[in-house]
Amino acid sequence: MTGTTSQNRTNTVSATAAKSSPTTLFGLVLVGLLGLVVLMMFSGSGIAQQEAPPVVEQPVLVVPIAYQTQYAKPYRATGKVESNQQALIGFENGGKVAQILVEDGAQISAGQILAKLDIQRLEAQLAELTAAQSLVEAEVRLAKNTKERVVDLVSRKLDSAQRLDEVSENLNIAQARLTQITAQLNTVRLEVKKSTIYASTDGNIIKRMVDPGAVVGVGQPIFEIASNTELQARIPLPPEVATTLNQGDFTALSVGNISLNGQLSALGSQRNLRTRTLDAFFSLPANANVLVGDLVRANLTVTVAQTGAWVPVSALANGIRGMWTVLVAQNTGETLLESRTVEVIYTDGDMAYITGALQTNELVVLAGTHRFIAGQKVTAALYSQLP
Amino acid sequence: MSNTDKKYPWYTMFVRSGHLLSLAIIIVMVAGLSAINNLPRLEDPRIDLRYTLVLTFFPGASAERVEALVSDVLEDELRELYEIKKVESTSKAGFSLLTIELQDWVDNRTNQQIFGKIRDRLDDAAERFPEGAMDPIMEDNRGATAYTVQYALSAKYPDTSSVNMVSRFAQEFADNLRNVSGTEVVNIYGAPVEEITVSIDPNKLAVVGLTPMDISAAISGADPKLPAGIVYTDNLNLRVQVAQELSSLDVINNIPLLEVNGDYLRVADVAAVTRGYQSPRQTYALLEEQDVIFVAARMQTSVRVDQWTEQIKAQAATFEQMYGASVNVDIVFEQNRYTEERLSELSGNLLLGCVVVMLVILLFMGYKASWIVGLSLPLCAFFAVFSLGFFGESIHQMSIFGIIIAIGLLIDNAIVMTDEIRQNLLLPGMSRVGALVKSVNHLFVPLFASTLTTILGFMPIFLLNGNIGDFIGSIAISVVMALFGSFWISLSIIAALAARFLPKSHAENTPWYVQGLQRPQISNAFQMLLKKGLTKPLQILPIIIVICIMGFILAGNLANVFFPSADRDQFAIEVNLPVGANIESTYALTKQIHQKIKSYEGVEQVHWLIGSSIPTVYYNQVMNRDNSPEYANGVIKVDTMNRAAQLIDRLQFDIQAAFPQAKIVVKAFGQGPPIPAPVEVDIFGPDLVVLEEIGRDVRLIFSQTPGISQSFASISLNEPEVIVNTSRDQVSLSGLSLNDLSLQLQLALNGVVGGSIVEQTEEVPIRVRISDADRSDLTSLAALPLASTQYDINNPFLQVSALGDFSVVPSLTGITRKNSERVNRIQGFLLQGVPAVSVAQQIAAALEDYQLPPGYSIKMAGDADKQNEALGQLGTYAPVLLVMMITTLILSFQSVRFAIVIGSVAILSVGLGMLSLWLSGLPIGFNPLLGCAGLIGVAINGSIVVIAAIKANPKAMSGDTDEIVAETMSCSRHILSTTFTTVGGLIPLLLFTAGSFWPPLAVVLAGGVGFSVMLSLVYTPILIGTLCRIRQRKIVRAEQKRLAHR
């Protein structure tokens, strides 16, 4: 590139005349450098060197706890509605059933005829005895007439005293026979009466067990009737719950959607081996629109005397060896969290009744314990103060 | 141009044949344009699938049993496969999840085979499972890739339409989308599992002495789905079917259970039969306030995202036409929008770069040179894009990223060649062809050396494998092909154009736009100064060296954000209630949080998935939460990227303060490999209780470290478990065994499935369980009647409370293992903009004094780990490549000294790049590192050209100051052009691009190139001159000695 060089050489000679050139050069270079520096400093939307990021202090809500001396535990039990008077009734005799006058589910009133046995045999006996009665009545009349005649004869000394005694006793015999027959007749009539079943109380026929024409034995149940005037609920309860109830107390019961007030009338005295419960009987109000056999639910509350405090389950955090802990803030504002071990006496899934290393009015972390560790610095605020 | 019998070298054919020249240009342009049209287009490179998940259900087992009997067995079987890099497992109550990561060298050609092997091993392992454990399910399509498009379907009349209807519509829609060509996979999220529920009143059941199992058996028995056989008559084969299948709810209601005296007890008497879904639901999906079902589709890698999205939208429009009266179809997310934005932004930058190049060259070399050089940029870019196809790459932000890095390098070759030819043409007596030959001869070796050195500098990235390699390998491919293209295009097409069209001589008053600006005063002044400097090297050189070294020192104070943020207008939010919370409470909380988020200005859309991870919208999101009713995940879209940056921290604080019952994490999307959390500490050891305690201590340290917003532990004991306190004696009095008791409770609470109803293509199972009212709290559980062998009609109610009371104890949430060792993973999330690596270093420092019990160890994971992995992989080949680079330089210049000078220029230019980074205050990371590689290429190019010029001049080689100065001057014009074009072309990225992805890169490139002008024009000539003079003196002295000894 010798050509260029010589050209430049000639230019150098003339350049000495332009003395201002170094400053122009310096000026240009300086401008260029500064421009570059400024460009660099303004790049990236001015993301300057960041100040050290802060230590994030988590906000936390706390609530003061209050100890109580007892707590209420709900207990739900289910039982059945029964009738106070529910019985299986039948004939006192055996025989063939002639008539059944009511069907299943029929309403009955006290004294109503329900069923009749076949009384043909009894009627035959009745006819037999009635005929016998007529016979004996005739004998009594004869004896009476005979006695009157003989008394007349004896008074006119026409007959012996012996004859008088004979006819008197004959009259007695005939009268005694009449009494006997009458009594036999009454017996058969009683049997006829007992071949009918009468309703003993108002109520319903639960079940008719026998059809007309069947031959039944003594005491075989024909009907199951239940009184609908007095219903009761039999609810099995564990003894520890049952003993908290007093006789005569009213309890809220529910059958389906209907709510009732039942009054405790009796408690069973023997514990059922399988279900470990006692039966509690609640008498239901008379106009309750329930059926025998309906399922009745009782929502009872059992008060247990034990000191503790209620906290929401979300305030519990895990501890070692299966124990629970809660986190406690020493004060509101900036504070450190402490971990205290507690024991859960009872929980229903949403709230827990606890006792443990806590004092009344200490501030317990309400929720979100999975965010925190004991010893962490937080900003605590009272729950009610939430904006 | 006379074409006599002179023998021209072959590379002059472009200048001799105009046809060849124009054809070459046209071919390159057409190739590039067709590549742009046909190459698949995505937002991010597709990472080859190296992950797979194995899910195993073991209902009823505790976490410890799942770990010992399922997870351990699976891990043992898989341990023997050498293709597996890492197995992580999580064992929760009833559920085991294994994540298998394959080795880095596995890619899409070999992974299916390996998955097949794994499946075989899983089957082997399943034989050793205990009774009750189900077969393992392998899910291998949850790759590290985002869904390309997401739709939300919802009922138009939500009060009267059931969610089951929407679910069936969603399935139909998903099938439609699968039919679009180019669809890889379509998944549905947030849909309920349809079932017919038979809700029993347990007390009614107890009265009659039945169990839920009996009812289920009765229903299955009444479902005659088995074929009853065929009757073969003489003419026909008649199929026999017993009665009708279960076809409606009425039929189920009438199924008889008991018969007494001709009276039937039917299902309807003891239970309510409803059509619904499995309750509680596994997932809920929300879009704004509405319950929806998400349908997410992913595109194959061989298609263009814009075309595919058009087809999908057309399909959705057809669907809406047919069913739009009953169901709403809304698009929630489309990747195409972001791809278009990204690509148009980048092409805009390329275009601007072109314009700047042409302007600068106009100033320096005249208008003809300006359009010649201006043409080189699109030509090289087209060549690079075209060659992507040969490597199986697609057009995505990484490949375009590569081209942008290479801009400075591309035009450098062209400028150098053009300037050289321009100067040669001005020599008197030089023909055009002759100028071309001279220039090519002179510049071939230097340009080759510089190009090869730069290519070798990018080779470590090219050779990376694994997830990182898949992701950034395409950058290296783009750069390397762009450089390669630029090399041969400059030597052939550009040189030919320059030789043909540049002016051969200048008249005295040629205007500036023909020959470029001439300011003799400045050049003369510079010449003088340079001459002075050559004589006093020890004054100038140290100053320059000190400035460069300062850059390194100052950069040590910069923050380290290795993986830059993604600069997106979306970010994610995670809501964690304590483990054990049910999905209904999470749902209610999420709706409240949603309302609060919407109250902020700039929030456009929020969509949620409750119960598991939301379908991904960004490539490195991890979908790692399944079966988590206490978890909700949302994606918030705001109007601008800056708004996102503002809101992320604000939302983190505000929402956490407003909803203290949940752990809230608001996080931005960042680049880099998919990791669950930026900061992670892994504690290894045998005992769960001790691990949990150490984990708590580490979490305390996390809470005291600045910048950490939340921390999570993977092994914790916070889940409440109800224990029925009873004994064998107590239960046997009631005629039960403990196993019976658990079985009955399970059947009552979870239910048992038996029988099904078939409706066209849907088969709906029938589940028998107790009604929700009876299983909703502990009091109801206590009142639940049980069935036993001793059925007593007078006292049928055997309640659970009769057998024992309840206590609630904390239990294990899950056991995590890594490579069969129990590990407690403590994960921390950061405030926005806080560099993960710095925080990790702080935590590591705090942990140094922590005493671990024997048998336990701590390891850092997260970003810091990934950074080390990345740097380690990059450094694997570094020594070899370094040696190759030095060898290239030495061979090109036949001189070790010159090679060392160039090496020193490279190192010093990096120092200048670091200085610029320090000036801008931006953090160091992966992008600046890449920028340095590009910077080195440009810087040494300048020095190489100066050295080549000096070498060609024997007088300069002998140390003649004037000659050295002259040679330097001859290179000054194009060095300055390169500098100005590089800096100018990067100005949009420097000043007008928001975010933290592009600016650090642009700063290093622009600043480094800008400041390294002084390296090329001052440092190199002075140093070379000094070396030459020293050598000359040695030669002279040796000569003198020789003469003296004669």
Side-chain angles (χ1 to χ4, degrees), chain B residues 36 87 99 241 259 261 392 432 464 501 556 577 706 812-813 833 896 929 1032:
Chain B
I36 291 178
V87 178
T99 310
Q241 171 82 30
E259 186 264 330
N261 284 343
R432 290 191 181 269
L464 280 179
F501 292 108
L577 281 174
L812 212 50
T813 53
V896 177
L929 224 70
Q1032 190 63 18

Side-chain angles (χ1 to χ4, degrees), chain A residues 72-154:
Chain A
K73 201 161 87 157
Y75 184 83
R76 206 175 294 171
T78 314
K80 281 199 291 192
V81 174
E82 292 179 339
S83 161
N84 216 347
Q85 284 186 22
Q86 188 165 331
L88 297 164
I89 52 177
F91 293 108
E92 287 178 62
N93 300 336
K96 188 165 96 157
V97 175
Q99 253 187 331
I100 305 265
L101 291 155
V102 286
E103 290 297 329
D104 287 337
Q107 289 264 45
I108 53 176
S109 39
Q112 185 179 338
I113 298 180
L114 302 178
K116 293 189 185 163
L117 276 178
D118 180 28
I119 46 175
Q120 277 177 338
R121 193 178 291 153
L122 288 174
E123 279 170 350
Q125 266 182 312
L126 212 57
E128 199 184 313
L129 288 171
T130 313
Q133 194 186 37
S134 308
L135 177 68
V136 171
E137 274 174 356
E139 279 182 5
V140 164
R141 279 199 301 272
L142 178 62
K144 204 182 266 176
N145 289 342
T146 311
K147 182 178 171 185
E148 278 175 11
R149 231 171 258 127
V150 169
V151 162
D152 191 38
L153 283 180
V154 168

Side-chain angles (χ1 to χ4, degrees), chain B residues 560-562 678-679 830 833-842 862-864 867:
Chain B
N560 182 345
V561 178
F562 196 70
V679 179
L830 301 170
V834 175
V837 180
S838 324
V839 170
Q841 283 167 352
Q842 275 183 300
D863 261 2
Q867 175 189 327

Side-chain angles (χ1 to χ4, degrees), chain A residues 5 15 21 25 28 40 44 49-50 53-54 56 58 61 75-76 78 272 274 276 297 318 322 324 347 370-371, chain B residues 521-522 524 576 656 660 662-663 699 706-709 717-718 730 734 780 788 790 795 799 808 810 833 920 990:
Chain A
T5 328
S21 42
L25 178 64
L28 274 179
M40 292 301 110
Q49 182 93 16
Q50 275 180 336
V56 173
Q58 303 279 2
L61 286 178
Y75 184 83
R76 206 175 294 171
T78 314
N272 180 307
R274 187 179 80 110
R276 238 66 60 62
R297 257 176 243 239
N318 69 295
W324 290 104
T347 176
H370 58 309
R371 292 164 47 205
Chain B
Q521 306 100 310
I522 302 177
N524 292 341
N576 291 282
Q656 181 66 85
K663 245 189 201 171
R699 276 187 66 198
I708 292 212
S709 62
L717 291 164
N718 252 339
Q730 273 180 301
S734 307
S780 312
S788 80
Q790 307 164 0
N795 221 328
Q799 292 189 336
V808 178
S920 72
L990 282 170

Side-chain angles (χ1 to χ4, degrees), chain A residues 1 3-5 8-9 11-12 15 18 21-22 24-26 28 33 36-37 39-45 47-50 53-56 58-59 61 74-80 207 236 272-277 279 295 297 316-320 322-324 346-349 367-368 370-376, chain B residues 201 203-204 207 420 423 521-522 524-526 529 557-558 576-578 656-657 660-663 692-693 696 699-700 703-704 706-710 717-718 730 733-734 774 778 780 783 788 790 793 795-799 801-802 808-810 831 833-834 916 919-921 963 966 970 990-991 993-994 999 1003 1007 1010-1011:
Chain A
M1 247 154 281
T4 345
T5 328
N8 281 339
R9 285 228 186 87
N11 283 341
T12 322
S21 42
T24 328
L25 178 64
F26 273 132
L28 274 179
L33 268 180
L36 203 56
V37 169
L39 189 63
M40 292 301 110
M41 290 178 67
F42 276 96
S43 327
S45 320
I47 302 178
Q49 182 93 16
Q50 275 180 336
V55 176
V56 173
Q58 303 279 2
L61 286 178
Y75 184 83
R76 206 175 294 171
T78 314
K80 281 199 291 192
K207 199 167 167 55
N272 180 307
L273 195 61
R274 187 179 80 110
T275 61
R276 238 66 60 62
T277 53
D279 284 341
L295 289 178
R297 257 176 243 239
L316 298 174
N318 69 295
I320 56 169
M323 294 193 284
W324 290 104
Y346 167 75
T347 176
D348 63 0
H370 58 309
R371 292 164 47 205
F372 306 113
I373 298 289
Q376 189 168 351
Chain B
D201 181 338
N203 292 308
K204 288 190 191 167
V207 169
E420 188 66 22
Q423 292 184 17
Q521 306 100 310
I522 302 177
N524 292 341
F526 180 65
L529 289 169
N557 297 337
L558 287 174
N576 291 282
L577 281 174
Q656 181 66 85
Q661 64 269 48
K663 245 189 201 171
E692 205 255 342
E693 277 174 18
R696 274 193 274 174
R699 276 187 66 198
L700 187 58
S703 73
Q704 294 162 345
I708 292 212
S709 62
Q710 294 283 14
L717 291 164
N718 252 339
Q730 273 180 301
L733 271 182
S734 307
D774 288 308
L778 286 180
S780 312
S788 80
Q790 307 164 0
I793 185 145
N795 221 328
F797 302 113
L798 171 60
Q799 292 189 336
S801 57
V808 178
V809 296
L831 294 176
V834 175
S916 333
L919 280 173
S920 72
E963 291 298 318
S970 71
L990 282 170
L991 294 178
T993 309
V1003 157
F1011 286 122

